[in-house]
């Protein structure tokens, strides 16, 4: 969890079956939290927290509650939560904006469901992430390799088509990922059309991938060749994202097979505009 300014409004529980305890007096409570103290010794205001709960096989319901009925975001801070299956790193649920409560029923062992978008918002109903459309042949394969620190809930990424403005969100969101489980490695890949893109790694606690007991890392590769390794600790205090700009200049199809695939990159640190560090590389086409 990442708490907003009022962690004393937030608590969660896991029960056996489908209904939370306040809807079922006979619910079997497996694990619950207290409301989190914003003052010492708790100091949970704006802080991150994680819990590991060992569950035998069965069906369970996770419920997170806010007694002021305004969720964890965004009027009083950028709070959020994620529930993951630790052995695989798969996401069971995530959220930030809700009213009094939000519940998710799941089974152990957990199997990630297939992509579904029943509400037609362009995002997967379980992970709430965006996945790019299939491109074939896969001549522009972008690999995203993330190892989370001990607070994976803080880490997300976005991939945008490049806009003509300074604001990367003026582009189109092509893919997104996270938040994640802690101390876990994710190897993702996407097939992209030629064009200009902006990759954004976000850390919602503004401390990069440098953890308390476990440090994280991330790299980007193009057609299997590593082209960028991100820093663990970000340059500016209060920095919550890092931008890496990519440009795939090769075509798709027969023209590519006799030539090479070119990817140009540059990176931008921080919330504020800074000088670019620019480099370029040539890669053999992946066919």
């Amino acid at each position: 969890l990442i708490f907003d300014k009022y962690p004393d409004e937030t608590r969660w529980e896991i029960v056996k079956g489908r209904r939370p305890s306040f809807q079922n007096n006979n619910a079997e409570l497996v694990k619950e939290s207290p409301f989190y103290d914003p003052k010492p010794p708790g100091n949970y205001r704006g802080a991150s927290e994680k819990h590991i709960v060992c569950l035998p096989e069965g069906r369970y319901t996770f419920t997170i509650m806010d007694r002021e009925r305004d969720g964890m975001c965004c009027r009083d801070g950028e709070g959020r939560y994620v529930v993951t299956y630790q052995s695989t790193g798969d996401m069971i649920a995530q959220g930030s904006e809700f009213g009094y409560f939000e519940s998710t029923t799941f089974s152990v062992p957990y199997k990630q469901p297939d992509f579904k978008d029943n509400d037609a918002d362009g995002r997967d109903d379980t992970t709430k992430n965006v996945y790019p459309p299939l491109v074939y042949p896969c001549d522009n394969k972008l690999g995203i390799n993330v190892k989370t620190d001990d607070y994976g809930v803080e880490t997300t990424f976005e991939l945008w088509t490049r806009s003509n403005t300074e604001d990367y969100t003026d582009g189109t969101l092509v893919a997104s990922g996270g938040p994640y489980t802690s101390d876990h490695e994710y190897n993702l890949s996407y097939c992209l059309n030629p064009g200009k893109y902006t990759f954004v790694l976000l850390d919602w606690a503004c401390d990069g991938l440098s953890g308390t007991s476990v440090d994280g890392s991330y790299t980007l590769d193009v057609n299997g060749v590593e082209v960028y390794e991100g820093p663990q600790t970000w340059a500016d205090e209060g920095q919550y994202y890092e931008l890496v700009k990519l440009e795939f200049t090769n075509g798709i199809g027969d023209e590519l097979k006799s030539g090479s695939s070119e990817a140009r990159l540059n990176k931008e640190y921080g919330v504020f505009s800074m000088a670019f560090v620019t480099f370029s590389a040539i890669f053999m086409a992946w066919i």
Side-chain angles (χ1 to χ4, degrees):
L1 307 101
I2 303 176
F3 296 100
D4 61 9
K5 295 179 181 179
Y6 299 103
D8 51 336
E9 298 174 0
T10 303
R11 63 178 294 269
W12 57 267
E13 68 173 30
I14 299 174
V15 301
K16 293 195 73 172
R18 292 179 173 273
R19 298 170 61 195
S21 61
F22 60 85
Q23 293 180 343
N24 179 9
N25 292 332
N26 297 318
E28 182 179 340
L29 190 64
V30 177
K31 188 76 173 180
E32 66 177 335
S33 77
F35 291 102
Y36 290 85
D37 193 348
K39 300 177 181 178
N43 289 326
Y44 283 110
R45 192 189 309 273
S48 301
E49 176 72 330
K50 66 177 180 179
H51 300 272
I52 298 175
V53 181
C54 295
L55 300 173
E57 291 188 11
R59 179 171 290 176
Y60 301 89
T61 295
F62 170 86
T63 302
I64 191 162
M65 291 157 276
D66 186 282
R67 59 183 171 186
E68 290 300 314
R69 301 174 182 268
D70 59 1
M72 303 176 73
C73 183
C74 298
R75 186 184 67 185
D76 297 309
E78 298 281 347
R80 62 184 54 226
Y81 75 91
V82 63
V83 182
T84 61
Y85 194 54
Q86 191 179 33
S87 61
T88 61
D90 289 334
M91 183 193 298
I92 297 173
Q94 69 146 311
S96 58
E97 298 182 66
F98 56 93
Y100 174 44
F101 75 96
E102 197 164 61
S103 291
T104 300
T105 299
F106 61 96
S107 295
V108 174
Y110 181 72
K111 181 181 179 181
Q112 186 83 47
D114 294 334
F115 177 88
K116 290 183 180 180
D117 183 17
N118 291 331
D119 57 3
D121 66 350
R123 296 176 179 268
D124 178 64
D125 293 340
T126 299
T127 66
K128 301 178 183 177
N129 281 317
V130 175
Y131 297 89
L134 294 177
V135 175
Y136 183 82
C138 188
D139 294 327
N140 301 299
K141 186 177 182 181
L142 175 65
I144 302 170
N145 311 293
V146 178
K147 183 183 182 302
T148 56
D149 60 16
D150 40 8
Y151 291 101
V153 66
E154 299 172 358
T155 303
T156 63
F157 81 83
E158 298 170 351
L159 181 68
W160 297 76
T161 58
R162 190 96 58 84
S163 71
N164 293 322
T165 71
E166 293 298 319
D167 185 353
Y168 70 86
T169 62
D170 288 338
T172 300
L173 183 62
V174 176
S176 62
Y180 295 110
T181 197
S182 302
D183 190 16
H184 194 89
E185 188 169 351
Y186 295 85
N187 296 297
L188 312 170
S189 62
Y190 301 102
C191 294
L192 304 176
N193 285 309
K196 298 180 180 181
Y197 297 87
T198 301
F199 174 83
V200 188
L201 187 81
L202 301 104
D203 185 277
W204 295 91
C206 301
D207 60 1
L209 291 169
S210 179
T212 302
S213 57
V214 177
D215 288 332
S217 61
Y218 85 96
T219 61
L220 303 177
D221 65 67
V222 174
N223 296 339
V225 179
E226 183 178 308
V227 296
Y228 182 68
E229 180 178 1
Q232 284 183 343
T233 303
W234 289 348
D236 294 334
E237 184 177 353
Q239 174 183 333
Y240 77 96
Y241 69 77
E242 181 185 46
L243 302 184
V244 181
K245 296 182 178 180
L246 307 100
E247 181 179 359
F248 294 96
T249 60
N250 60 293
I252 284 182
D254 294 337
E255 178 182 341
L256 175 67
K257 294 179 182 179
S258 60
S260 63
S261 173
E262 183 179 7
R264 295 190 179 92
L265 301 93
N266 60 53
K267 63 182 180 179
E268 176 183 350
Y269 292 118
V271 178
F272 305 103
S273 178
M274 298 179 63
F276 289 135
V277 178
T278 307
F279 56 96
S280 63
I282 305 294
F283 306 96
M284 293 306 295
W286 183 90
I287 299 175

